[in-house]
Amino acid sequence: MPSFIGRIAARRLASSAAATSSSRLVIAKQLGRVSCPLQSSLPLLRAGFVRAYATPGRPKKTDTVATTQSTGRPRKTTAAAAGATKAPAKKAAAATKTKKAATATKSVKTKKKASPAPKPKKKELTEAQLAKKELLKIRLEKSELKKKALFTEPKALPSNPWMLYVTRQSAGTPVVGGMTAKMVTMAEEFKSLSHSEKEELQRVSDENKLKNAAAYKAWVESHKPEVIAEAQNARNLLKRKYDFPKANNSHRIQDDRQPKKSRSSWVFYFRARHGSGDYSNMSQQEALKAIAQEWKGLPTVDRQPFADLAAADLTRYKKQVEETLHREISPRR
């Protein structure tokens, strides 16, 4: 049990607990637990009274150190607590600035994507440049048509006595005095040939005709019918648009495999009337005009048989085109 004086000191310390610091409370608790005799309690009471009533204001550093050592629980100072509080605040401010900068960057990128720079306008060509461009386009088209036209037929041998004689006389001999003079000289020589020499030229010419026909047929049949049809269309375009080649009959490919075009009702009527013999005393041109006048005044009932023949011929042509050329014909306009 504590002594009488110890209990009095403890009561006084308890009554003044609200006005004392944390260190004084610790000392009061320590005094309350003291269970020594009176002689051993006097020094503690003196020390308690000095510490309790000597400094009623802010505790001294020695008291704080003693209290910390006695309780064994370290406490942070005010400066350390303030530094610990400022550190998270700085980190939060830095994170906020980073987020704002990222948001500003994204908005700038979005604005740049939303409004792309306008494309530069194309420079207008001059008349000379346009003409050059058009000429280049024509050359390219003409070159492509020539490739499709298949101008690769075998070279024909001379097929008549005169051409054969000219070929023989011109082979290996240079032209002297111009080609015209040379042809005049060869024409006089050809007329003065003997009968046997002319017969020999005719025989060779006939053989050349057969050789030419066989070589041409082999060349045509070496290509598929659809390729020959495309080549013929290319030749027609070259002749119509560019007048190439200059020869009138060199653009036609002779191919018996190609489907023959369908005939109209007028063609059937003309053949029927011209073959009847009613216009045998007229020329071809006069007969054509007369039959055309008949066709214009012909009733629909009389035209029907020829219209049926034309429809049947059109069906035949469609079938041949599908089987041979593997395509469908375009409808007539």
Side-chain angles (χ1 to χ4, degrees), residues 21-24 55-64:
S21 62
S22 58
S23 61
R24 295 167 187 170
T55 57
R58 188 173 180 181
K60 296 181 179 181
K61 290 184 179 180
T62 55
D63 298 338
T64 306

Side-chain angles (χ1 to χ4, degrees), residues 252-279:
R252 177 62 56 184
I253 301 177
Q254 302 296 329
D255 186 8
D256 297 334
R257 301 172 300 172
Q258 297 297 318
K260 293 182 179 181
K261 293 292 184 74
S262 59
R263 293 163 289 183
S264 63
S265 56
W266 150 248
V267 174
F268 280 104
Y269 179 77
F270 174 79
R271 289 188 174 185
R273 292 295 293 139
H274 192 269
S276 64
D278 295 342
Y279 303 94

Side-chain angles (χ1 to χ4, degrees), residues 126-142:
T126 61
E127 293 183 0
Q129 290 174 337
L130 290 174
K132 186 177 180 180
K133 186 177 180 181
E134 186 66 22
L135 181 61
L136 179 61
K137 182 180 178 181
I138 291 173
R139 287 179 179 176
L140 290 175
E141 183 183 7
K142 192 174 180 179

Side-chain angles (χ1 to χ4, degrees), residues 3-7 9 31 34-50:
S3 62
F4 176 76
I5 298 174
R7 286 196 298 271
L31 291 174
V34 176
S35 59
C36 58
L38 180 60
Q39 290 80 7
S40 60
S41 300
L42 287 175
L44 292 175
L45 288 173
R46 290 173 183 175
F49 281 120
V50 171

Side-chain angles (χ1 to χ4, degrees), residues 244-321:
F244 180 88
K246 297 297 182 180
N248 293 329
N249 58 351
S250 60
H251 68 282
R252 177 62 56 184
I253 301 177
Q254 302 296 329
D255 186 8
D256 297 334
R257 301 172 300 172
Q258 297 297 318
K260 293 182 179 181
K261 293 292 184 74
S262 59
R263 293 163 289 183
S264 63
S265 56
W266 150 248
V267 174
F268 280 104
Y269 179 77
F270 174 79
R271 289 188 174 185
R273 292 295 293 139
H274 192 269
S276 64
D278 295 342
Y279 303 94
S280 57
N281 57 345
M282 297 182 183
S283 64
Q284 186 74 18
Q285 192 68 21
E286 293 175 348
L288 178 60
K289 290 181 180 180
I291 297 172
Q293 290 295 329
E294 289 183 5
W295 175 255
K296 289 180 180 179
L298 199 67
T300 306
V301 178
D302 296 336
R303 288 188 180 189
Q304 190 59 42
F306 303 101
D308 295 339
L309 291 173
D313 197 40
L314 180 61
T315 303
R316 184 268 314 164
Y317 178 64
K318 288 181 179 180
K319 184 178 180 181
Q320 288 183 354
V321 168

Side-chain angles (χ1 to χ4, degrees), residues 202-254:
Q202 185 65 48
R203 179 185 61 79
V204 175
S205 299
D206 293 341
E207 291 178 358
N208 287 346
K209 285 182 181 179
L210 297 176
K211 291 179 181 179
N212 291 339
Y216 187 82
K217 185 178 181 181
W219 173 80
V220 170
E221 293 180 353
S222 65
H223 301 86
K224 295 181 179 180
E226 52 267 30
V227 176
I228 295 296
E230 185 179 6
Q232 186 59 62
N233 292 334
R235 292 189 180 194
N236 293 339
L237 285 174
L238 283 170
K239 188 65 179 178
R240 184 172 66 252
K241 295 179 67 174
Y242 307 109
D243 193 22
F244 180 88
K246 297 297 182 180
N248 293 329
N249 58 351
S250 60
H251 68 282
R252 177 62 56 184
I253 301 177
Q254 302 296 329

Side-chain angles (χ1 to χ4, degrees), residues 13 16-29 51-52 55-60 63-64 67 75:
L13 289 174
S16 60
T20 60
S21 62
S22 58
S23 61
R24 295 167 187 170
L25 292 175
V26 172
I27 295 172
K29 289 179 181 180
R51 291 174 183 174
T55 57
R58 188 173 180 181
K60 296 181 179 181
D63 298 338
T64 306
T67 305
R75 295 175 179 269

